[in-house]
Amino acid sequence: MQHSDEVNVHLSEQEQEMIEILMEDLELPSTDDVIRLLVKQEAQRIAVVCPSCGHYARKTQQDVASCNSCLSIINLSEGIWEVSQMRKQS
Ligand SMILES: [Zn+2]
């Protein structure tokens, strides 16, 4: 039985080795945990969680992001991401 959002990645021997090193270094129990952590870290580098709808909003500039889900423009102000402009639904 497979879960619908399960991701099966075929890893090369070298990739498997890299993951094993990361598992050891990050003290994570499984390959899945390593992948989850890395995906999260990378996503956070280029996107922020939209304060308006909770979806990921892609950064368009260092301190500006735009959400494709609710079309909000999010600005970084004093270390906090805030919705500066929300498209009104008519
Ligand atoms: Zn949003």
Side-chain angles (χ1 to χ4, degrees):
M1 253 208 314
Q2 284 213 341
H3 208 250
S4 61
D5 57 5
E6 187 174 323
V7 180
N8 284 307
V9 185
H10 183 79
L11 299 168
S12 68
E13 216 170 289
Q14 200 179 23
E15 287 166 338
Q16 188 59 48
E17 221 173 282
M18 291 189 280
I19 288 188
E20 277 166 23
I21 291 170
L22 287 167
M23 273 170 66
E24 213 178 283
D25 194 64
L26 302 167
E27 296 178 346
L28 292 169
S30 72
T31 301
D32 283 17
D33 290 300
V34 172
I35 292 170
R36 280 203 193 92
L37 182 75
L38 295 180
V39 167
K40 198 172 157 186
Q41 282 180 347
E42 282 305 295
Q44 283 170 345
R45 210 165 52 81
I46 59 160
V48 294
V49 174
C50 175
S52 173
C53 71
H55 285 276
Y56 270 93
R58 185 85 185 258
K59 285 182 198 173
T60 52
Q61 288 168 47
Q62 201 56 34
D63 53 0
V64 184
S66 72
C67 180
N68 283 334
S69 292
C70 68
L71 305 173
S72 295
I73 303 294
I74 306 149
N75 274 295
L76 185 64
S77 92
E78 290 169 21
I80 299 163
W81 288 94
E82 287 176 334
V83 175
S84 66
Q85 190 185 315
M86 210 193 296
R87 193 165 294 183
K88 297 252 166 30
Q89 287 177 342
S90 52

